[in-house]
C-alpha cells in the first residue's frame, strides 16, 4: 500500500488534491493510505515515512522547503511534489530533490500527469531490474522478480526456474551466487539458490515455493539460511515502512 501525505494550510487545496489522488489510484487498482496535514510542524511531529508527499511551499510557521529539509533528515526516499504559487522558490528547493512542481490553482490534469510519471518511476523501473544470461540457445534478459530459484544440474548446467518457464545456462552455482547475492538471493544448498521474495513457507528441511515445489536446505546451512531469510524480510518491511 502506498502511503501519501498532503500538507497545505488551505483546506480547499487539501480536499481537491485528496479527491484527485484517490480517484487516480482507484483507477489504477492501487491501494493508498492518505494522511492530511495543515502545517509542516504537524507532519514532522507525526514521525511517519511516506512514499509520496504533496507539500505546499508557502505555509505559516515552517514553510515547505524547511519541512522538506527536516523530512530528508530521516527519509531520503520520499518523493516530494511541491505545490506552489511562487516560482522563485524553485532554485532553493533543489537541495531536497523534489520530483515535481504543481502550480496553484491546482489542476487535475497536471496532478494526474505527475502521478503517472511517479507510477512509472516507482514501479516500472523496479520491474525492469534484471540480469542478462547467456543461455544454451542465445541471450536472455530475465527480470529478477520473475526468478524463483536456480538449480545446479551438474556438468556446469544450471536451470533457472522462472514464473511460467525454465531457462538453461552453462555456469557454476558459485558464479551465479556472486551475481545475485546482492539482491538478497539465498544459497540454501550446494545446488540451489532461492529468491526469498518467492518463498511461501519455511519448513523444517525445505523451503516451500510456488506450486508446492520444495527446495532443500542443507543441514549445515539451516541456521544461516533462516537468518538470511529473516534479514531479507526485515529489510523489506523497513523499506515498505
Amino acid at each position: 500500500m502506498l502511503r501519501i501525505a498532503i500538507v497545505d494550510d488551505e483546506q480547499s487545496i487539501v480536499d481537491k488534491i485528496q479527491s484527485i489522488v484517490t480517484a487516480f489510484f482507484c483507477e489504477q487498482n492501487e491501494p493508498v493510505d492518505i494522511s492530511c496535514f495543515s502545517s509542516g510542524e504537524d507532519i514532522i511531529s507525526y514521525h511517519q515515512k511516506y512514499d509520496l508527499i504533496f507539500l505546499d511551499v508557502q505555509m505559516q510557521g515552517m514553510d515547505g522547503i524547511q519541512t522538506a529539509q527536516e523530512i530528508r533528515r530521516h527519509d531520503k526516499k520520499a518523493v516530494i511534489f511541491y505545490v506552489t504559487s511562487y516560482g522563485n522558490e524553485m532554485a532553493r528547493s533543489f537541495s531536497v530533490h523534489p520530483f515535481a512542481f504543481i502550480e496553484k490553482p491546482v489542476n487535475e490534469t497536471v496532478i494526474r500527469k505527475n502521478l503517472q510519471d511517479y507510477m512509472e518511476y516507482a514501479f516500472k523501473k523496479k520491474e525492469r531490474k534484471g540480469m542478462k544470461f547467456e543461455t544454451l540457445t542465445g541471450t536472455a534478459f530475465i527480470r529478477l522478480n520473475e526468478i524463483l530459484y536456480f538449480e545446479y544440474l551438474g556438468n556446469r548446467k544450471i536451470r533457472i526456474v522462472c514464473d511460467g518457464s525454465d531457462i538453461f545456462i552453462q555456469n557454476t552455482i558459485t558464479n551465479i551466487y556472486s551475481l545475485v547475492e546482492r539482491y538478497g538471493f539465498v544459497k540454501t544448498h550446494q545446488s540451489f539458490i532461492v529468491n526469498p521474495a518467492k518463498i511461501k513457507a519455511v519448513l523444517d528441511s525445505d523451503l516451500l515455493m510456488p506450486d508446492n515445489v520444495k527446495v532443500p536446505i542443507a543441514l549445515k546451512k539451516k541456521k544461516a539460511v533462516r537468518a538470511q531469510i529473516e534479514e531479507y524480510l526485515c529489510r523489506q518491511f523497513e523499506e515498505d515502512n
Side-chain angles (χ1 to χ4, degrees), residues 129-164:
K129 185 182 289 184
M131 301 186 70
K132 183 173 71 173
F133 293 96
E134 296 300 324
T135 73
L136 302 183
T137 57
T139 302
F141 183 86
I142 307 173
R143 293 190 179 99
L144 295 178
N145 62 2
E146 294 178 349
I147 299 173
L148 276 66
Y149 60 89
F150 298 84
E151 179 183 6
Y152 184 66
L153 303 176
N155 296 321
R156 291 181 57 87
K157 187 176 182 180
I158 291 177
R159 178 169 69 128
I160 308 176
V161 179
C162 303
D163 291 325

Side-chain angles (χ1 to χ4, degrees), residues 31-47:
V32 293
D33 179 17
I34 301 176
S35 300
C36 300
F37 303 93
S38 60
S39 70
E41 289 86 349
D42 284 348
I43 188 172
I44 296 301
S45 65
Y46 197 62
H47 301 296

